[in-house]
Amino acid sequence: MEVSEAPSIVGPGHNLATTADILRDRFKPLLDEVESLAKRATDAKNALTDGVVSNDNERDGLVALGIEARKMAKRLGETKLATTKPLRDETTETNRFFDTVTVRPETIQSAFETIVGKYNDKKREEARVAAAEVARVAQEEAKRKLEEAAASSHSVLGDVLMQEAADAENRAAVLVNEAITAGSGPTRTSAGTVSATARWKHRITDASKIPLEKLRPYMSLDDLDKFLRAFVAKNKNTVAVPGVEIFEDTKTSFRG
């Protein structure tokens, strides 16, 4: 059956079996085997005194159950792989299909954003330069008004000129703020809105010169754990690390 012809089992209000229902029905014999093993394992554990092995017979019984459990887990893993591989293969092929098709419009979008971005950056810079010039002229006008007021020998006229100077200074301050933000907002066009997002990035030029102590506040425990795993794998317990306990973790395994 073609994928496009397969019946859907999802969607609001459907009354078909769920995936879990189908799996429980299909693998009922396996579930029964696991249930039987779990029951026997529980009985064997409960038969121990205080949960401790006290003789070879008890040990051998647990080893046998452990090996049986390992084999069953391996068989379940193989069954899972055989069940999921076709689904994963179909998902992989589906993703590859759409990824291939999506490349073209994404390339168009990226190329045009770059082209329009250069044009917009130029317009933004022109807007900033123009706004800065307007602010400079206003500041000079305010300075001239202030000097004129200070030079006036007429008290009333001096007050009028001083007020004009204060108004000019306020206008200049507003224009300076506008010059700072000029060209930073989105550009609305008849087709859509053009926005620019600036992000600070980094590039490592010499890893040996990076002061790691400065990065400590930004390191998560997961980051530190990864570094420590590499450190311990190489040095084992031959080199101590303050704040870290280095120990050997022994794991027992069964083999039939």
Side-chain angles (χ1 to χ4, degrees), residues 169-228:
E169 283 187 331
N170 289 334
R171 285 195 300 274
V174 171
L175 290 171
V176 167
N177 288 331
E178 290 179 354
I180 293 173
T181 59
S184 60
T187 302
R188 291 176 175 79
T189 72
S190 58
T193 301
V194 181
S195 300
T197 302
R199 290 190 180 94
W200 287 102
K201 294 186 176 182
H202 71 278
R203 182 184 299 107
I204 296 176
T205 56
D206 189 342
S208 65
K209 294 182 179 180
I210 298 176
L212 297 181
E213 195 61 33
K214 286 189 176 182
L215 302 180
R216 178 179 292 275
Y218 309 100
M219 292 182 183
S220 67
L221 287 178
D222 288 340
D223 294 330
L224 292 175
D225 192 57
K226 181 174 69 175
F227 301 147
L228 285 169

Side-chain angles (χ1 to χ4, degrees), residues 1 20 29 34 50 58 60 63 81-82 85 106 126 136 153 158-159 163 165-166 174 187 192 203 207 209 232-233 254:
M1 177 183 294
V34 174
D50 296 328
E58 290 180 344
D60 293 349
V63 169
L81 178 61
K85 189 176 185 304
E106 285 182 342
E126 290 173 351
R136 185 190 66 77
S153 58
D159 290 343
Q163 184 59 52
V174 171
T187 302
R203 182 184 299 107
K209 294 182 179 180
V232 172
F254 300 140

Side-chain angles (χ1 to χ4, degrees), residues 131 134-145 161 163-179:
V134 171
R136 185 190 66 77
V137 172
Q139 286 177 316
E140 289 185 354
E141 175 66 11
K143 180 181 178 183
R144 186 184 65 78
K145 291 277 188 183
L161 291 173
Q163 184 59 52
E164 290 180 358
D167 292 341
E169 283 187 331
N170 289 334
R171 285 195 300 274
V174 171
L175 290 171
V176 167
N177 288 331
E178 290 179 354

Side-chain angles (χ1 to χ4, degrees), residues 226-239:
K226 181 174 69 175
F227 301 147
L228 285 169
R229 282 199 302 271
F231 180 90
V232 172
K234 178 176 178 58
N235 298 284
K236 300 180 176 58
N237 64 342
T238 60
V239 181

